[in-house]
Amino acid sequence: MTKLESAIDPERLGVRPAEGYAGDVTPEQAAAWVASGEAVLVDVRSDAEREWVGFVPGAVAVPWKQWPGMALNPTFEAGVQEAVPTGAKVVMLCRSGVRSIAAARRATELGLEAYNILEGFEGDADAEGHRGRKGGWRYRGLPWKQN
């Protein structure tokens, strides 16, 4: 059994309906699709977030917004269309699963089968305002690295 297989909880697989895009998936479902070649993982976080917080190996970086100012990325559309082969699914990852909803909606408008990854990379903030302790790609033990 690989490290990825041991991190995937079968109870958490499946698609939840959503409005304006193909649906919401757990980090485990997204990882399974990416591992099988069914989907491309697009990380829509800013370059700074990926550099400082961590990244998913093999993910394609196409920021939805960029620092400073968190202005919309004018090359998002071209980047996501280039990243996703015809007929493949795309799973969108951000910090907590919010910006990735907007990115999934836009990708859907562009004709892609786009999904939002619930919980994002870091998950929700806990009672003390800290991320990484309450859900998220990292918390679930899925593959990631840090510079």
Side-chain angles (χ1 to χ4, degrees):
M1 180 178 287
T2 68
K3 184 178 179 181
L4 177 60
E5 289 169 331
S6 65
I8 294 178
D9 177 356
E11 298 286 319
R12 292 178 42 85
L13 299 181
V15 177
R16 297 178 191 171
E19 191 171 322
Y21 56 100
D24 295 311
V25 296
T26 63
E28 292 93 339
Q29 179 67 72
W33 282 349
V34 171
S36 73
E38 274 184 77
V40 173
L41 193 155
V42 171
D43 190 332
V44 302
R45 295 175 299 149
S46 70
D47 296 338
E49 288 173 289
R50 286 188 317 280
E51 285 292 319
W52 291 99
V53 179
F55 61 94
V56 177
V60 179
V62 185
W64 176 246
K65 294 183 175 182
Q66 279 288 32
W67 186 260
M70 298 309 278
L72 283 173
N73 175 7
T75 65
F76 174 80
E77 293 173 4
V80 76
Q81 287 175 315
E82 183 179 316
V84 184
T86 302
K89 298 174 185 172
V90 59
V91 288
M92 303 287 193
L93 180 72
C94 70
R95 180 187 67 182
S96 59
V98 176
R99 278 174 286 169
S100 51
I101 291 173
R105 285 185 176 139
R106 183 64 194 127
T108 298
E109 291 168 356
L110 297 171
L112 300 172
E113 183 180 347
Y115 296 83
N116 167 56
I117 301 175
L118 294 165
E119 302 174 4
F121 186 76
E122 294 184 79
D124 292 332
D126 65 13
E128 295 157 354
H130 301 140
R131 293 190 186 274
R133 299 179 183 169
K134 188 177 172 186
W137 186 278
R138 277 190 330 193
Y139 178 83
R140 304 267 172 222
L142 299 167
W144 72 283
K145 291 186 177 184
Q146 193 167 31
N147 289 332

